[in-house]
Amino acid sequence: MTAVLIIGAGADDLQHGGELDQATLEIAVALKKHDLETVLIDDNPFSFTLDEQEVIDHAILAPLEVEQVVELIEKYAPTMIIPTLGSRKAFELVQAVSETGIIQERGIHFCGVPEATIRQVNNPVLMSQTLKQLGAPTKMIKTVSDYHGAVELVDQVGYPVIVRAALPKKQAPRRIVHDPRELQQAVSAAIQESRASQVMVQQSLAGLKEIEVLVMRDASGTMMNLAMVENLDPIGIHAGDSIAVTPAQTLMDREIQDIRDVAFAITRRLRIVGINHVQFALDQEHQRFYVIKNSPYFDRLASFVEAATGYPVATVCGHLYAGQLLSNIKLGHDYPRHLALTEPVMDRTAVRLPTFPIESLPGQRWELRTEKQSVGSVIGVGRSFLEAIIKGSAAYYTPTNERLLKEIAAFSDERLDERLIHPCPHRLLTLLEALLRGYSSDELTELTKIDRYYFDQLKRGTTLVKRLQEKPGSLELLKQAKYWGLSDDQIAQSWKISVKKVAALREENQFHRVFKEVDPSAGEFDVHTNHFYATFEVENESSVIRGSRALIVGDGPRKLGNSTANDYVLGMVARELRRHQFRVVSHINNPNSLLLTRHLSDKVYLEPHTAEAVAAIARLEQPDYAFIPVGKQNLKSAINAVSPATKVVIIEAMQTPQNFVSSIPTLEFNALFDGQVVYQLGVTGELKDQGVGKYQTLAKRYPAHLEKGLATKVTTISDQVISQQTTPGLYQVLYQVDRLAEGIHEEVQPLTAPDVAFMTKALGLNLTAIWVRLMIGNFSGQFLVKASHVNTSYPDVIYRAHFPYADYHLTNQKSRPATVIGAQIERA
């Protein structure tokens, strides 16, 4: 059997989250359909695909290093390596592996990109040379070794310029420089951050419009433009921190065609097979554009495009990697022949809005710039841009943001102007406040460099809200408000009445939402993606699926604290429910969620996590079970009000773990409680963090290797404490151990998602699957005892959480809870 080695993404960080695991799963599923032997190396404890034995033949839990990859090549003899699922880090890793000579010696093929292209992507100067040879318009860029070299470029292009380290030792910031003093400081810092003691100095294109294009190409040279995405915020704000919309709203046909042609030419020249993400800066005033970045690997854009268009981006790539052409890919009975060869067409608009960890990092000085600061994103889908952004922004109305809204409303005009010119997270809230105060579209465009089209659209929304406030109870305005995406809660606030009264008025007058399919052909072909969004029109395209049904409500965008561990647990819940013959219906608003994949969900609703939305889904589907993350318990009553027979299960594992820091060693006793019996899952021991000189619960080793007396004491106390719990589930008891090795009971708490993921990999035992069986009445204690390998000696496994302080340029604050951005796991 032919083997293919997949390079994983490693620990989650600001640059990537669940989107790479999502793509890896879909590609692995496609590869298995071609009878390929799959080998995946990764050290991310929150990787779902590492634990998916149905599609991964050999899951290797190891550091993403040259020596490890070389060993795997020697052991499994792969003929192909996929480097496009591990972001830029994977490209740097496989280039280093290639430099050992083993790739050429074994005749190994890189899927998606030739080795020469990998080297160009890793070296901006080489990439710039290739683009110039193509005649592609690019900004000026120069590699220098000192301040005087940087000054030479500034003399040609003027200020501002962007300075960053070439071949950085670790993730290094990009600095926008406005004068000689800033330039000298930036060059000096970047030299220290560079492995080559070199600095990249670039012409700044700040203020221009940013356009992102996703191209698909097969080995025969056939190409398609899968999507053209427009960022509302201009160049100067990281694309991941900007509001993104597709299809592009403000481009002329000529601009679209010219940008498309250049993106195709670059993809063709680099001989890419699969996807290529090309970013442009568009200067509409002078009718020109620049290529600013080329990324021939999976990232947040690919997952957003797949969710927005319904085109199975990752699945098609998997078939291309296996050697097929776009013209002969068969996607299954729900897709017509040749759909893989058909460019997506949209009869809807999708918006991606970034989310920021404001409440987790209260000391951070927030200002949007070229460095990414958002940790997650939400998607809104509607018939229009206004409906899509209103639905997407529902995720912004949290207690923290409500306080932020009040603060913004209290700004003086001068303070508001300052915030418009120097934007901060959740910029949309500031823009809406300016519109409510009567700022014109032209004024706002001048201050923000955002196209006036978007202010004209947003103004329609703020005008509607004002009219609602002026005419409480108006049926005409109620109908308009629902059509444009306003929730019952927003209307209730405008009318100063209860949400129940608004809902009752809507029901009495039969203003009902319908569900439309996310169809990549806009209804031209008979396509069934089974992905839906709601709107207030006439025809409903979603019908109840047959069989036992389970509704899973997603956890929303990634957040600090749990990172993608919550999505890992949700994916495991979905997989186990399907194994028990349930049809899984997922309600999500995270474009990077695993639940978007057909491998885990039979049906998906891309809707905000409001009581109104979940009630509409439950009313239609009438699920047997509904699984809801802890923290969203308010959705339980909404479900039971329309589907009384539904059993609602709260997923307690999604609580944010606390980072308990102590100078005394700590232990964690992990167990499953079925309501009567406590099943021990093992004890973890915390490691001392050399940075703070203390033990912390976010750095641990399994097993803890306890002395017999202490082990007996901990087990006895834990059994008693857990037996007193009123709800079956996965639990953890935290201890401190003094110098006399006395076990001191601290507290009992549900096992959190990061620990579930870690212990699952350490034990080789799917804890989420066991918990699901307990919740649906199919639990077997005998099976658990047999599966847990009693008296088995487990190898040591070490877990270390990662914190985002370097990314945010903050000092070490590891004693603060809820600030984990990712983690690594390795066998000791």
Side-chain angles (χ1 to χ4, degrees):
M1 181 181 289
T2 302
V4 55
L5 173 60
I6 304 171
I7 307 296
D12 298 325
D13 56 27
L14 272 186
Q15 303 307 316
H16 78 83
E19 67 272 15
L20 299 183
D21 196 22
Q22 176 199 101
T24 302
L25 177 62
E26 292 180 330
I27 285 176
V29 171
L31 294 175
K32 291 307 296 179
K33 291 181 179 179
H34 295 276
D35 295 323
L36 291 170
E37 182 181 11
T38 52
V39 183
L40 171 63
I41 177 173
D42 205 346
D43 59 359
N44 184 354
F46 310 147
S47 167
F48 175 93
T49 314
L50 265 180
D51 293 335
E52 185 50 288
Q53 298 176 358
E54 292 181 8
V55 297
I56 299 298
D57 297 301
H58 309 284
I60 311 301
L61 194 63
L64 294 166
E65 297 174 354
V66 173
E67 295 78 9
Q68 300 288 345
V69 174
V70 169
E71 286 182 13
L72 292 179
I73 291 173
E74 292 174 343
K75 181 175 182 180
Y76 295 104
T79 59
M80 298 182 290
I81 293 179
I82 299 179
T84 56
L85 294 164
S87 69
R88 178 70 173 272
K89 295 177 184 176
F91 272 38
E92 293 173 352
L93 174 60
V94 296
Q95 179 175 333
V97 171
S98 180
E99 288 169 357
T100 68
I102 195 170
I103 301 296
Q104 296 78 8
E105 176 187 327
R106 300 294 183 94
I108 298 173
H109 165 68
F110 286 127
C111 295
V113 283
E115 184 178 351
T117 298
I118 291 174
R119 293 181 180 277
Q120 291 181 72
V121 172
N122 289 342
N123 188 327
V125 173
L126 292 178
M127 179 61 73
S128 180
Q129 291 173 353
T130 298
L131 293 176
K132 287 179 180 177
Q133 291 170 5
L134 275 173
T138 60
K139 59 185 176 182
M140 293 191 67
I141 182 172
K142 186 176 183 180
T143 303
V144 302
S145 302
D146 54 30
Y147 170 72
H148 298 292
V151 170
E152 291 178 3
L153 179 68
V154 173
D155 289 341
Q156 298 179 57
V157 302
Y159 288 106
V161 293
I162 297 174
V163 175
R164 63 186 177 91
L167 297 174
K169 299 172 184 176
K170 57 182 180 180
Q171 186 175 331
R174 294 187 294 175
R175 301 171 174 90
I176 296 182
V177 171
H178 300 86
D179 55 50
R181 182 183 60 82
E182 289 184 358
L183 180 65
Q184 191 167 21
Q185 293 174 345
V187 169
S188 177
I191 287 175
Q192 298 300 316
E193 295 162 353
S194 171
R195 283 183 283 150
S197 297
Q198 292 183 319
V199 180
M200 306 292 297
V201 185
Q202 307 172 30
Q203 174 188 6
S204 173
L205 302 174
L208 299 184
K209 182 173 295 187
E210 185 162 6
I211 306 296
E212 302 184 76
V213 181
L214 193 67
V215 176
M216 179 80 78
R217 180 180 181 271
D218 69 12
S220 72
T222 300
M223 277 185 287
M224 301 189 302
N225 173 24
L226 297 185
M228 194 165 288
V229 176
E230 182 174 352
N231 291 327
L232 268 67
D233 289 302
I235 301 290
I237 294 176
H238 194 285
D241 291 345
S242 176
I243 297 171
V245 58
T246 190
Q249 306 287 297
T250 69
L251 303 189
M252 294 183 291
D253 288 343
R254 187 194 71 252
E255 292 170 334
I256 292 174
Q257 191 60 53
D258 288 347
I259 288 173
R260 172 193 171 100
D261 288 347
V262 171
F264 278 11
I266 294 170
T267 305
R268 183 184 304 112
R269 179 62 175 268
L270 297 178
R271 293 183 293 148
I272 291 165
V273 172
I275 61 168
N276 190 29
H277 173 192
V278 191
Q279 291 168 256
F280 295 86
L282 176 61
D283 183 351
Q284 289 183 304
E285 180 180 354
H286 299 96
Q287 299 183 4
R288 61 192 179 200
F289 60 85
Y290 303 87
V291 179
I292 56 176
K293 190 177 180 182
N294 192 84
S295 308
Y297 44 74
F298 281 84
D299 56 15
R300 65 182 179 278
L301 183 73
S303 59
F304 173 54
V305 168
E306 181 159 340
T309 65
Y311 184 91
V313 178
T315 297
V316 170
C317 276
H319 290 295
L320 295 179
Y321 292 166
Q324 289 203 300
L325 301 180
L326 287 167
S327 58
N328 57 29
I329 291 175
K330 297 178 181 178
L331 293 170
H333 64 275
D334 283 335
Y335 295 93
R337 188 182 179 189
H338 297 318
L339 184 90
L341 191 59
T342 306
E343 286 192 353
V345 179
M346 294 179 66
D347 56 358
R348 61 200 164 272
T349 300
V351 174
R352 186 193 67 219
L353 294 95
T355 58
F356 299 85
I358 294 176
E359 55 193 3
S360 298
L361 296 172
Q364 164 73 342
R365 183 178 181 274
W366 295 100
E367 184 175 322
L368 300 183
R369 45 187 183 267
T370 57
E371 298 172 63
K372 187 172 182 288
Q373 298 182 75
S374 60
V375 293
S377 61
V378 294
I379 186 172
V381 185
R383 284 301 203 189
S384 65
F385 166 76
L386 183 57
E387 183 185 9
I389 199 166
I390 287 175
K391 290 172 68 177
S393 64
Y396 284 177
Y397 292 94
T398 65
T400 298
N401 290 337
E402 286 175 6
R403 292 193 296 272
L404 181 60
L405 275 169
K406 292 178 180 178
E407 291 176 11
I408 293 172
F411 283 172
S412 65
D413 287 347
E414 292 77 12
R415 179 78 177 90
L416 185 59
D417 285 349
E418 181 185 346
R419 181 62 66 88
L420 291 169
I421 297 170
H422 302 288
C424 293
H426 301 334
R427 192 180 194 186
L428 177 63
L429 305 179
T430 308
L431 302 180
L432 293 174
E433 175 63 25
L435 288 169
L436 288 169
R437 292 193 190 186
Y439 283 58
S440 71
S441 297
D442 288 336
E443 285 177 307
L444 289 171
T445 295
E446 179 66 26
L447 290 169
T448 66
K449 308 305 179 186
I450 295 174
D451 196 293
R452 68 161 291 158
Y453 165 84
Y454 294 109
F455 293 117
D456 290 343
Q457 295 303 309
L458 292 173
K459 189 179 292 185
R460 295 169 69 185
T462 56
T463 300
L464 178 58
V465 170
K466 287 181 179 179
R467 292 178 63 201
L468 282 168
Q469 293 169 345
E470 294 166 357
K471 293 184 178 181
S474 168
L475 293 181
E476 178 186 353
L477 290 177
L478 174 61
K479 186 175 183 179
Q480 288 183 35
K482 297 309 297 182
Y483 179 78
W484 292 113
L486 289 177
S487 67
D488 287 353
D489 185 57
Q490 290 169 311
I491 297 169
Q493 290 181 35
S494 297
W495 285 352
K496 293 182 170 55
I497 62 175
S498 70
V499 177
K500 287 185 178 181
K501 288 184 179 180
V502 174
L505 191 61
R506 175 167 53 79
E507 290 293 330
E508 288 170 13
N509 291 275
Q510 298 185 6
F511 298 157
H512 298 307
R513 60 171 39 79
V514 296
F515 295 102
K516 298 293 184 180
E517 196 153 22
V518 179
D519 173 2
S521 72
E524 184 175 351
F525 304 120
D526 186 22
V527 182
H528 296 289
T529 62
N530 291 318
H531 287 203
F532 298 89
Y533 66 99
T535 190
F536 279 79
E537 292 185 354
V538 179
E539 183 184 2
N540 180 55
E541 298 176 1
S542 176
S543 57
V544 180
I545 52 179
R546 296 179 179 178
S548 300
R549 294 177 296 281
L551 171 65
I552 299 178
V553 178
D555 188 51
R558 181 174 66 138
K559 51 186 76 73
L560 292 187
N562 287 35
S563 190
T564 56
N566 284 4
D567 205 50
Y568 167 90
V569 168
L570 290 173
M572 287 295 182
V573 169
R575 185 178 76 167
E576 188 62 19
L577 287 169
R578 294 187 78 175
R579 286 182 173 176
H580 290 274
Q581 308 306 310
F582 283 93
R583 306 296 296 277
V584 172
V585 178
S586 295
H587 173 196
I588 55 180
N589 66 348
N590 178 1
N592 303 327
S593 174
L594 287 162
L595 294 177
L596 279 167
T597 67
R598 293 168 65 92
H599 185 67
L600 296 176
S601 296
D602 297 284
K603 200 171 185 180
V604 171
Y605 289 95
L606 292 166
E607 286 294 294
H609 290 157
T610 61
E612 177 185 352
V614 76
I617 296 168
R619 179 185 287 113
L620 173 65
E621 298 291 349
Q622 295 291 305
D624 299 279
Y625 287 89
F627 289 81
I628 299 176
V630 67
K632 299 183 185 291
Q633 292 96 322
N634 63 306
L635 302 181
K636 179 177 181 179
S637 58
I639 293 172
N640 287 146
V642 298
S643 182
T646 299
K647 181 179 179 181
V648 178
V649 179
I650 305 298
I651 308 177
E652 295 285 349
M654 294 189 180
Q655 297 185 66
T656 301
Q658 296 296 309
N659 187 16
F660 185 81
V661 179
S662 171
S663 58
I664 302 174
T666 56
L667 302 171
E668 294 168 341
F669 179 95
N670 306 293
L672 180 130
F673 178 48
D674 68 0
Q676 294 181 328
V677 179
V678 176
Y679 298 88
Q680 180 178 355
L681 298 173
V683 180
T684 58
E686 275 58 61
L687 302 174
K688 181 178 286 188
D689 187 292
Q690 300 304 318
V692 296
K694 295 184 177 182
Y695 296 90
Q696 58 171 332
T697 54
L698 297 180
K700 63 191 70 180
R701 177 193 298 267
Y702 176 84
H705 300 294
L706 305 182
E707 295 181 1
K708 186 175 181 180
L710 179 59
T712 301
K713 185 172 184 178
V714 166
T715 300
T716 302
I717 295 175
S718 300
D719 191 279
Q720 294 172 352
V721 173
I722 295 175
S723 295
Q724 296 171 6
Q725 303 304 305
T726 58
T727 306
L730 293 162
Y731 288 97
Q732 182 178 81
V733 187
L734 184 68
Y735 293 87
Q736 285 186 311
V737 183
D738 63 16
R739 19 187 215 97
L740 299 177
E742 295 285 343
I744 307 169
H745 164 233
E746 285 293 322
E747 61 178 311
V748 60
Q749 61 187 14
L751 200 64
T752 63
D755 280 312
V756 171
F758 168 57
M759 291 299 293
T760 293
K761 287 178 171 60
L763 295 169
L765 186 65
N766 192 330
L767 300 185
T768 309
I770 296 168
W771 175 82
V772 168
R773 294 178 189 183
L774 183 61
M775 295 299 106
I776 64 176
N778 284 335
F779 174 74
S780 167
Q782 290 183 342
F783 174 81
L784 174 58
V785 171
K786 182 178 179 181
S788 61
H789 313 295
V790 177
N791 298 323
T792 297
S793 177
Y794 289 95
D796 285 10
V797 182
I798 293 175
Y799 171 99
R800 293 186 188 277
H802 283 205
F803 300 86
Y805 305 123
D807 295 318
Y808 288 111
H809 309 294
L810 297 172
T811 57
N812 193 321
Q813 304 175 51
K814 293 183 179 179
S815 60
R816 179 186 294 170
T819 51
V820 172
I821 194 170
Q824 282 182 298
I825 184 173
E826 61 179 307
R827 302 199 185 279

